[in-house]
Amino acid sequence: MPIQSPPSSLLRLATAGSVDDGKSTLVGRLLYDTKSVLADQLDAVTRASVDRGLSTPDLSLLVDGLRSEREQGITIDVAYRYFATPRRSFVLADTPGHVQYTRNTVTGASTAQLAILLVDARKGVVEQTRRHAAVLALLGVPRLVLAVNKIDLVDYDEETFRVIAKEFVAHATSLGYPDGSVLALPVSALVGDNVVDRSDRTAWYRGPTLLEHLESVPAAPDPHDAPFRFPVQYVIRPRTPEHPDYRGYAGQVAAGTIRRGDEVVLLPTGRRSTVARIDTPDGELAEAVAGRSVTLLLTDELDIGRGDVIASPGESPMLTDELDATLAWLSEKPLRPGARVLVKHGARTVPAFVEELTARFDEQKLSSVDAPDTLLLNELGRVRLRTAEPLPVDDYAVSRRTGAFLVIDATDGDTLAAGLVGAPLPNP
């Protein structure tokens, strides 16, 4: 069985920012300067750059292939990039910058431990910067990096950087980010200043380069020490001569740690049992931690199906049919009180009714509007939902996996919103 790297060696991060702030070039620069680009990829980028009349490779082309597909309407998704240094491995979610794709920031940042928010040094903090910062705060991304990009286009002016950094840090603080959780640094993704290598042209900047910070920043730990949560994805019953009585519950550990012999509670029934075995394709395990996909076998034969949750008995989720939650509205169809929708929580999907829109967040004014008539595309709002069946949910602050859900259109199956149980709107 392959040896798993310790959690601290992996950092999950996301990029965000307004269109044309240089996210593609920054990601390309990180990949290029960390030697994470294959030779044939670099050759293709070099040829394409020459065809465009450029004398140096356009590093944004390393990621712009998928982005152009998004903008043509073929697909709208988050592009993931993987790279590593001797000190740490990285999973980077590159999100689009257009206003109409703000919803993708929710997808890209949903598992991020850190977000890089870019601004153009010539434009400073703009509307989309504030919008993305509000979304990142709502999603509980614990650390931010403000990359003041294109610093070369303002002649590496220190005062320009200081003004932008001060404004953004004040904004982030008002959203609830504590001291020390936001780093601002001047970069030029095009030239490479302070991305991987320190720049002599910003001698006034004494902080780390972007890569130095990414390699050394404390990563928010995976929820191994959180209460155990295991949404059941599939019940395995081979009924073969070799395994006539095998009954296993397959899924991924959403939070916490499970060991052989641990007592568990089954939701929604509330029945209790004990873990007899933890199976994987590579053999049995003595324990499994968050993020590990396993099959659990229990000492009792119980009625367990897809969508049920196996949890710690002393710290089990709330079993409720009323969800007070924050929604990030992702659809062009407006949401109104009285709407009938589907709620997908883990592997379970149940009908639901929108009882009330309690508030809408204005990310520019940093204020809430009580009892709005609607929620529109890209807006954040508080709602009360009534589900047809009780769901085993956690507060989002306790568990990002079991505290999140999707709202789905019951008529066509389209995803309408991402929901966070109990998560309050940013409150400056």
Side-chain angles (χ1 to χ4, degrees):
M1 183 185 305
I3 299 175
Q4 291 185 323
S5 300
S8 61
S9 69
L10 174 68
L11 182 70
R12 291 184 290 268
L13 63 149
T15 61
S18 186
V19 65
D20 294 331
D21 279 351
K23 292 186 303 301
S24 294
T25 303
L26 180 70
V27 175
R29 173 62 63 182
L30 272 173
L31 295 174
Y32 178 77
D33 285 358
T34 57
K35 298 178 173 57
S36 303
V37 182
L38 298 176
D40 58 342
Q41 290 177 304
L42 185 58
D43 288 344
V45 166
T46 301
R47 289 194 299 272
S49 301
V50 170
D51 291 342
R52 295 184 177 191
L54 302 176
S55 59
T56 58
D58 180 356
L59 298 179
S60 70
L61 298 178
L62 290 170
V63 291
D64 266 350
L66 180 58
R67 180 155 306 179
S68 65
E69 290 180 357
R70 295 188 195 128
E71 295 179 6
Q72 291 174 45
I74 299 174
T75 182
I76 301 173
D77 206 348
V78 177
Y80 289 91
R81 298 290 178 262
Y82 307 88
F83 65 102
T85 69
R87 298 187 62 183
R88 181 172 265 176
S89 298
F90 302 91
V91 179
L92 187 152
D94 180 34
T95 65
H98 292 79
V99 172
Q100 63 266 37
Y101 298 150
T102 301
R103 51 192 170 182
N104 288 318
T105 304
V106 175
T107 302
S110 61
T111 60
Q113 299 159 300
L114 177 147
I116 303 171
L117 192 53
L118 278 79
V119 298
D120 187 324
R122 299 168 299 175
K123 302 175 183 177
V125 176
V126 297
E127 177 181 340
Q128 188 73 333
T129 312
R130 292 186 286 270
R131 179 179 289 113
H132 278 162
V135 171
L136 296 170
L138 175 66
L139 292 171
V141 179
R143 294 180 180 274
L144 296 181
V145 172
L146 179 72
V148 182
N149 193 26
K150 305 184 183 182
I151 195 70
D152 53 311
L153 299 183
V154 294
D155 296 324
Y156 301 94
D157 181 59
E158 179 181 5
E159 183 61 22
T160 298
F161 168 75
R162 299 290 181 199
V163 169
I164 295 173
K166 182 178 179 180
E167 179 183 356
F168 180 78
V169 170
H171 180 72
T173 300
S174 71
L175 292 170
Y177 280 97
D179 292 341
S181 62
V182 181
L183 171 71
L185 72 163
V187 301
S188 171
L190 181 64
V191 181
D193 295 298
N194 297 325
V195 178
V196 171
D197 300 316
R198 185 170 299 278
S199 173
D200 294 335
R201 293 178 282 256
T202 55
W204 42 265
Y205 172 70
R206 304 300 174 85
T209 67
L210 177 59
L211 184 62
E212 287 172 348
H213 183 65
L214 296 181
E215 287 183 323
S216 61
V217 66
D222 283 331
H224 298 167
D225 297 327
F228 174 65
R229 303 288 186 263
F230 186 83
V232 175
Q233 294 286 332
Y234 185 70
V235 180
I236 300 176
R237 293 291 309 278
R239 296 176 180 175
T240 62
E242 296 82 8
H243 304 283
D245 301 316
Y246 190 99
R247 184 193 297 264
Y249 308 105
Q252 186 179 81
V253 180
T257 301
I258 191 66
R259 300 174 180 85
R260 279 197 304 257
D262 283 355
E263 186 182 17
V264 293
V265 63
L266 316 174
L267 298 170
T269 66
R271 298 286 299 277
R272 296 197 179 198
S273 188
T274 302
V275 176
R277 276 169 50 187
I278 304 173
D279 281 356
T280 74
D282 300 312
E284 291 187 42
L285 297 177
E287 68 174 29
V289 299
R292 190 68 191 263
S293 295
V294 297
T295 299
L296 300 183
L297 282 76
L298 305 181
T299 56
D300 304 285
E301 290 192 7
L302 301 173
D303 183 14
I304 303 174
R306 175 177 167 83
D308 291 349
V309 173
I310 303 175
S312 301
E315 302 173 284
S316 60
M318 300 178 290
L319 193 60
T320 179
D321 62 359
E322 186 172 272
L323 301 180
D324 286 310
T326 292
L327 295 187
W329 193 250
L330 312 178
S331 173
E332 295 181 358
K333 302 177 183 178
L335 176 67
R336 294 183 174 87
R340 296 190 178 276
V341 295
L342 299 176
V343 167
K344 186 178 188 304
H345 177 258
R348 173 169 293 181
T349 301
V350 300
F353 174 76
V354 180
E355 287 190 334
E356 185 181 2
L357 301 184
T358 56
R360 176 178 58 80
F361 180 65
D362 187 325
E363 74 280 352
Q364 299 305 311
K365 297 180 180 179
L366 296 180
S367 62
S368 294
V369 178
D370 293 335
D373 295 329
T374 60
L375 276 187
L376 303 178
L377 176 65
N378 293 324
E379 290 185 335
L380 307 175
R382 292 285 296 172
V383 302
R384 180 172 294 115
L385 297 167
R386 179 75 65 174
T387 59
E389 302 172 15
L391 295 175
V393 300
D394 285 295
D395 191 290
Y396 185 77
V398 173
S399 173
R400 291 171 80 175
R401 285 280 302 278
T402 54
F405 61 91
L406 295 177
V407 177
I408 298 172
D409 192 322
T411 60
D412 57 19
D414 285 349
T415 299
L416 301 176
L420 313 177
V421 177
L425 291 170
N427 185 25

